[in-house]
Amino acid sequence: MFKLETIISLAKRRGFVFQSSEIYGGINGCWDYGPLGVELLLNLKNAWWREMTFRDDIEGLDASILMHPKVWEASGHLMQFSDPMIDNKTSKARYRADNLIEDHIAKLRKKNKNDEANECEKALGLAQEPADFYKIIIDYGITDPVSGTADWTDVRNFNLMFKTFIGSLDDAASTIYLRPESAQGIFVNFKNVMESGRQKIPFGIAQIGKAFRNEINTKNFLFRTREFEQMEMQYFVKPGEEKEWIEYWKEQRWNWYVKYGMKPEKLRWKEHEKLAHYANYAVDIEFEFPFGFGEIEGIHSRTDFDLMAHQKLSGKKLEFVDTVTKERYVPYIVETSGGVSRGLMAFLCNAYDEEITEDNGEKRVVLRFHHKLAPVQVAVFPLVNKDGMPEKAHAIYKDLQKYFKTQYDTSGAIGRRYRRQDEIGTPYCITIDGDTLANNTVTIRERDSMQQETINADNIRNYLFEKFTE
Ligand code: ATP
């Protein structure tokens, strides 16, 4: 397992991810995607979009981030979307009370105090109100990891939605929220999409978009941020059929991660014990990050909670009418909700590898991305900067650039140029050498196997098209 710091440092050095507003000291929980990061992000979203919407029963949507405030009243986010928070008076540090208790349980387990850990875990499972969390923290003598004291404030609920104002009025009447999940944009458009897309139950709506949560503790790089992107699909089904659809979507989503190169041994299922207010079943796909397993996508059975709530508050019917059986009902919803940024981090950790090469015994850092996710698809090098090679190489580069994300590199020994591309995960490198000028052949080297093939220069484009449509 490689260290997260190693991956973060590569991500910064090679232009995948930068801290937001870095020249001002950064801002917690916000990150910027650099030239390679944005390509990876787009490839990831594209892979998801194709998988989810290139089929008969799913339509796409791009809803606005700002929504009518009543949406959050109906969805329950205004009342319930909060985390229990506690402050240490000495260190002034703020924690999520449940995380503090979880860390304590992990410490107890490390010290083999399993009975006490089990007891504490049971109490945490039952905790609902702020006072319940507070009692556990006091009963188990949990201290602040920074100050070492138990000098705690009460536990308070902290709503995670970012508030702002619409228009020029600074009063409650004009308060709106940055959406904390993209799902609600889908629910309020359920009828619009069903009717315009001439869909019938079962069908789904897919959306990729930003969401914002004022998380109390942001940590672990892109894992928990305050601004992030989600790729969500809400599948509308007949009540009673949700269990079958959960099974179907579980399989689809797991296979998607594996199809794009995720090592199956780094993935696992985790069923929720505590359910959100809208769910009757929830399971997560977790990925093994350098700091341990963490959720990358949730598959949730949301029942008819959201549509019923919007129907009630808006007074607009959100039903499906079956024209054959004449049945009318508010559909149940099965959602697949994945994080784009968290997913990107998982794919980055999954791809990172170091090896000692056989030819010269040097360390090779390589990002083993699936070729469809790789930010740069192909690199072109003239072997030496003379004898007409740069001119020929540049012409090939310009041609490939019309179809592929291509880089051109003339600097340093060829081995160094390979290493630079390995480090960003470029699947193919093409070298133009003396043979190219003599008999129009080039060498194509594949990243993982480092195998080299000689092909005719006129076939490069087709060779790559075949590889990238595989
Ligand atoms: P967690 O328990 O980690 O806070 P959650 O269960 O609240 O996450 P969901 O509401 O199910 O998460 O969101 C769906 C997906 O959105 C998650 O699987 C994750 O990939 C992503 N996500 C949620 N919160 C964040 C965040 N703060 N930063 C980055 N991605 C996030």
Side-chain angles (χ1 to χ4, degrees):
M1 179 78 73
F2 300 102
K3 285 202 175 114
L4 185 57
E5 288 71 35
T6 313
I7 296 167
I8 298 177
S9 128
L10 169 76
K12 174 165 186 202
R13 186 161 43 80
R14 297 307 311 270
F16 282 90
V17 182
F18 309 122
Q19 205 182 3
S20 162
S21 331
E22 194 188 280
I23 60 167
Y24 289 103
I27 170 167
N28 270 344
C30 302
W31 297 88
D32 296 342
Y33 294 86
L36 296 182
V38 68
E39 296 293 339
L40 180 58
L41 206 59
L42 284 170
N43 292 344
L44 185 61
K45 291 192 272 192
N46 235 330
W48 184 87
W49 191 255
R50 284 177 156 265
E51 177 86 7
M52 299 307 262
T53 69
F54 283 26
R55 43 186 284 161
D56 300 337
D57 58 345
I58 298 185
E59 305 282 349
L61 179 77
D62 187 8
S64 130
I65 288 173
L66 302 177
M67 300 180 72
H68 197 290
K70 285 212 162 142
V71 168
W72 309 113
E73 198 181 320
S75 70
H77 283 82
L78 265 181
M79 289 294 290
Q80 313 218 27
F81 194 58
S82 54
D83 279 340
M85 160 201 101
I86 191 164
D87 290 354
N88 185 272
K89 291 181 198 160
T90 312
S91 71
K92 307 270 183 279
R94 174 167 288 179
Y95 302 95
R96 250 174 78 172
D98 51 338
N99 289 352
L100 201 62
I101 300 168
E102 278 163 7
D103 290 348
H104 182 69
I105 295 169
K107 263 191 225 147
L108 289 174
R109 292 214 192 284
K110 256 198 183 150
K111 291 187 197 152
N112 274 330
K113 294 185 174 173
N114 285 322
D115 289 346
E116 201 178 333
N118 291 344
E119 231 176 66
C120 189
E121 198 164 51
K122 201 168 156 206
L124 179 62
L126 295 171
Q128 280 180 342
E129 300 299 320
D132 303 337
F133 292 103
Y134 183 75
K135 186 166 184 310
I136 300 172
I137 290 169
I138 300 305
D139 285 355
Y140 285 85
I142 299 176
T143 52
D144 176 9
V146 179
S147 67
T149 70
D151 191 12
W152 298 113
T153 62
D154 282 343
V155 174
R156 278 166 296 162
N157 271 336
F158 175 75
N159 196 297
L160 300 183
M161 283 200 292
F162 281 99
K163 240 189 227 181
T164 185
F165 302 99
I166 197 158
S168 55
L169 281 177
D170 234 20
D171 62 21
S174 58
T175 299
I176 52 163
Y177 301 89
L178 300 188
R179 67 180 180 199
E181 62 175 24
S182 55
Q184 297 301 326
I186 296 182
F187 302 145
V188 299
N189 277 298
F190 155 68
K191 270 218 134 162
N192 286 339
V193 175
M194 182 169 65
E195 286 168 11
S196 61
R198 299 172 58 228
Q199 288 286 355
K200 291 192 176 66
I201 300 294
F203 81 98
I205 304 178
Q207 172 168 236
I208 297 176
K210 290 241 170 159
F212 303 83
R213 296 182 188 176
N214 200 359
E215 301 276 3
I216 298 166
N217 298 112
T218 56
K219 58 177 182 185
N220 292 330
F221 194 36
L222 308 173
F223 185 80
R224 189 170 301 288
T225 56
R226 295 198 166 116
E227 173 176 341
F228 55 97
E229 226 171 348
Q230 293 186 309
M231 38 193 187
E232 293 198 310
M233 194 281 302
Q234 309 292 330
Y235 204 72
F236 300 87
V237 307
K238 191 171 174 184
E241 292 183 356
E242 67 275 14
K243 283 214 173 67
E244 296 160 39
W245 286 110
I246 282 273
E247 288 313 312
Y248 172 82
W249 283 112
K250 273 173 74 175
E251 197 185 331
Q252 295 292 313
R253 297 307 304 143
W254 178 281
N255 291 346
W256 182 80
Y257 284 104
V258 175
K259 176 168 145 191
Y260 284 97
M262 213 64 117
K263 300 179 190 102
E265 66 273 18
K266 286 195 155 278
L267 296 176
R268 73 174 187 197
W269 290 110
K270 174 91 185 289
E271 278 193 23
H272 287 210
E273 282 160 25
K274 257 193 196 167
L275 290 169
H277 59 276
Y278 52 75
N280 71 358
Y281 175 77
V283 64
D284 295 334
I285 300 179
E286 292 192 335
F287 172 78
E288 190 177 16
F289 290 98
F291 52 83
F293 274 96
E295 167 184 347
I296 49 173
E297 173 154 344
I299 293 140
H300 308 137
S301 176
R302 293 184 79 124
T303 70
D304 57 3
F305 177 89
D306 299 276
L307 289 186
M308 280 291 197
H310 287 305
Q311 180 168 277
K312 194 164 164 215
L313 199 62
S314 69
K316 302 279 181 334
K317 284 249 178 289
L318 295 174
E319 291 176 339
F320 167 69
V321 184
D322 190 322
T323 45
V324 180
T325 64
K326 304 283 178 254
E327 271 178 291
R328 61 172 58 226
Y329 54 84
V330 173
Y332 267 37
I333 292 170
V334 169
E335 88 172 345
T336 68
S337 174
V340 182
S341 19
R342 212 183 261 185
L344 179 142
M345 180 179 166
F347 277 107
L348 195 59
C349 295
N350 180 71
Y352 187 88
D353 199 10
E354 291 174 5
E355 65 178 13
I356 303 297
T357 52
E358 276 170 19
D359 51 350
N360 58 9
E362 271 180 19
K363 187 171 94 171
R364 171 168 103 113
V365 172
V366 51
L367 287 180
R368 300 188 191 279
F369 287 129
H370 185 280
H371 57 282
K372 288 205 176 133
L373 298 184
V376 175
Q377 296 173 295
V378 52
V380 180
F381 316 139
L383 182 63
V384 288
N385 284 315
K386 54 182 186 188
D387 303 334
M389 287 183 214
E391 292 75 11
K392 179 75 182 161
H394 198 260
I396 291 176
Y397 160 64
K398 278 290 156 196
D399 178 60
L400 291 179
Q401 202 176 39
K402 291 186 225 149
Y403 311 95
F404 303 99
K405 187 75 190 173
T406 315
Q407 278 194 355
Y408 183 61
D409 190 359
T410 58
S411 70
I414 202 79
R416 294 229 2 232
R417 285 182 256 170
Y418 281 147
R419 295 291 175 272
R420 277 202 283 270
Q421 295 299 329
D422 288 344
E423 210 184 39
I424 61 169
T426 308
Y428 300 102
C429 292
I430 296 176
T431 305
I432 279 70
D433 54 23
D435 284 345
T436 315
L437 304 172
N439 45 30
N440 204 33
T441 57
V442 297
T443 308
I444 296 200
R445 173 212 188 241
E446 196 273 331
R447 178 196 66 206
D448 293 338
S449 63
M450 294 194 279
Q451 292 292 319
Q452 305 196 358
E453 249 185 275
T454 304
I455 67 164
N456 191 290
D458 297 338
N459 292 340
I460 304 175
R461 211 199 275 171
N462 281 344
Y463 177 97
L464 291 174
F465 273 136
E466 262 173 40
K467 293 286 182 197
F468 282 100
T469 44
E470 257 169 22

